[in-house]
Amino acid sequence: DGGELKKLFAEFQKESVDQFFSYVRAEIDRRVGRHVVFASNNYRGSWEFPYNLFEIGMAELLERDATPLILYERYREARGLQKHQIFTLVPQATDGAEVPLTRRVIASCYALGGHLIVPWDVYTGSQKPRYYGKPEDYADLYKFVRDYPQWFDGYEEAAFAFEGFLDERYKTEPPLLIDASAIMGVVRARPQEPRAPIVVHLVNWQDNPHSFTIRINRQRFSQEALSRASFFTPGRSPQELSLKETGEAYVTLEVPSLNPWGILVLGAKSDQLSQ
């Protein structure tokens, strides 16, 4: 097994790679006069050595890992390390059956503050042809992000909701409750900007879209945030939704069916909705 010599050589390899990239990156920053961000292919979203030497990771996401909870955990890990993660989904099927899952993953990645590379020329395995998704299957989701950058730029994840999951930051009175199965919710806010609108991403992870109810904890949101609810979905004009008082700690809101994604904006003024 190589014994002590193998161990010493592995330590030498790690030290030399670390020193090489530290030197090269410091020299690039010196010559450019600013910090230059580097990316690497970090398999499965790993941030162990040597991926920890870079700020951005790009990784294949296998279908078995394409779930709301796994995506949340991987983005949470990256965020905790002050890294940014980008995925590309490796589809098992390429006959159209892959489209619903791919759409959910695109929406979920953006909801969690990341990105899914446009599914075009995607690696599917060494013995399989590469995947070329049809623009009509995915373009509306990417256009959605481009149409409303104000609900993405500068926002950070503040709460996560999914059936069977307990957000440890809110062991009691969570900000968001979803009265439906297979709906992922992500509350996002702009740090140090308490008057900025609150954004709630909602992604449907089931095949039968239907309306559902969410409950918003009035103690976790300002009165201004709960004064107005605007709902955005890909390919449709924004619509106003009614926040209903229940006399309890939560206000309720009926959300239209999602296929698969919608963004609820709380507390936005009229001029902010038209940006």
Side-chain angles (χ1 to χ4, degrees):
D1 60 2
E4 185 66 20
L5 182 60
K6 181 178 180 180
K7 177 183 176 182
L8 291 172
F9 189 72
E11 292 175 356
F12 164 74
Q13 285 183 308
K14 181 177 181 179
E15 182 179 339
S16 62
V17 169
D18 194 339
Q19 289 181 350
F20 171 78
F21 279 107
S22 297
Y23 168 77
V24 169
R25 300 199 59 188
E27 188 65 13
I28 290 174
D29 289 356
R30 185 184 68 81
R31 296 192 180 201
V32 176
R34 61 178 176 82
H35 180 59
V36 177
V37 175
F38 269 54
S40 77
N41 187 337
N42 64 332
Y43 177 66
R44 297 188 65 189
S46 170
W47 290 105
E48 297 177 353
F49 180 86
Y51 311 119
N52 63 310
L53 301 175
F54 307 93
E55 290 90 352
I56 300 175
M58 297 178 288
E60 291 88 359
L61 180 72
L62 302 180
E63 276 200 10
R64 67 170 182 264
D65 294 332
T67 70
L69 295 181
I70 289 178
L71 285 169
Y72 171 71
E73 290 297 338
R74 293 192 180 173
Y75 278 116
R76 183 175 69 168
E77 178 187 8
R79 186 171 61 251
L81 296 171
Q82 297 185 319
K83 309 288 188 180
H84 185 76
Q85 183 66 58
I86 300 172
F87 285 114
T88 178
L89 181 64
V90 181
Q92 293 182 355
T94 56
D95 58 0
E98 77 289 348
V99 173
L101 176 62
T102 305
R103 288 177 60 83
R104 292 167 192 155
V105 174
I106 293 170
S108 297
C109 286
Y110 276 101
L112 291 164
H115 305 281
L116 188 84
I117 295 174
V118 173
W120 181 263
D121 193 17
V122 178
Y123 173 80
T124 60
S126 59
Q127 305 301 318
K128 298 180 181 180
R130 299 179 74 85
Y131 176 62
Y132 294 86
K134 298 178 181 178
E136 57 265 32
D137 290 332
Y138 307 116
D140 63 320
L141 301 181
Y142 290 101
K143 185 176 185 299
F144 186 47
V145 178
R146 175 165 290 221
D147 284 345
Y148 299 108
Q150 70 268 34
W151 309 135
F152 296 88
D153 295 345
Y155 277 85
E156 296 185 9
E157 187 263 326
F160 179 81
F162 194 72
E163 59 180 322
F165 177 83
L166 174 64
D167 192 327
E168 292 293 335
R169 293 167 293 184
Y170 310 98
K171 294 183 179 180
T172 61
E173 299 184 351
L176 177 68
L177 294 173
I178 302 174
D179 295 336
S181 61
I183 302 292
M184 185 186 90
V186 184
V187 180
R188 302 184 66 81
R190 294 179 66 98
Q192 311 306 319
E193 296 184 38
R195 300 184 66 84
I198 303 297
V199 173
V200 182
H201 291 258
L202 297 163
V203 182
N204 181 12
W205 274 80
Q206 56 188 348
D207 294 327
N208 54 332
H210 56 81
S211 62
F212 57 94
T213 301
I214 65 172
R215 288 180 284 163
I216 300 171
N217 189 329
R218 67 172 75 250
Q219 301 300 319
R220 302 291 188 184
F221 297 87
S222 67
Q223 290 185 347
E224 185 175 1
L226 297 180
S227 65
R228 182 176 189 175
S230 306
F231 194 59
F232 297 74
T233 52
R236 297 181 182 178
S237 299
Q239 63 185 112
E240 293 298 307
L241 300 183
S242 298
L243 290 160
K244 298 179 181 179
E245 298 286 344
T246 64
E248 301 174 354
Y250 290 84
V251 296
T252 65
L253 188 147
E254 188 74 11
V255 179
S257 60
L258 302 174
N259 190 25
W261 188 13
I263 297 178
L264 177 66
V265 180
L266 299 174
K269 297 179 175 61
S270 298
D271 60 335
Q272 293 172 310
L273 297 175
S274 59
Q275 290 179 359

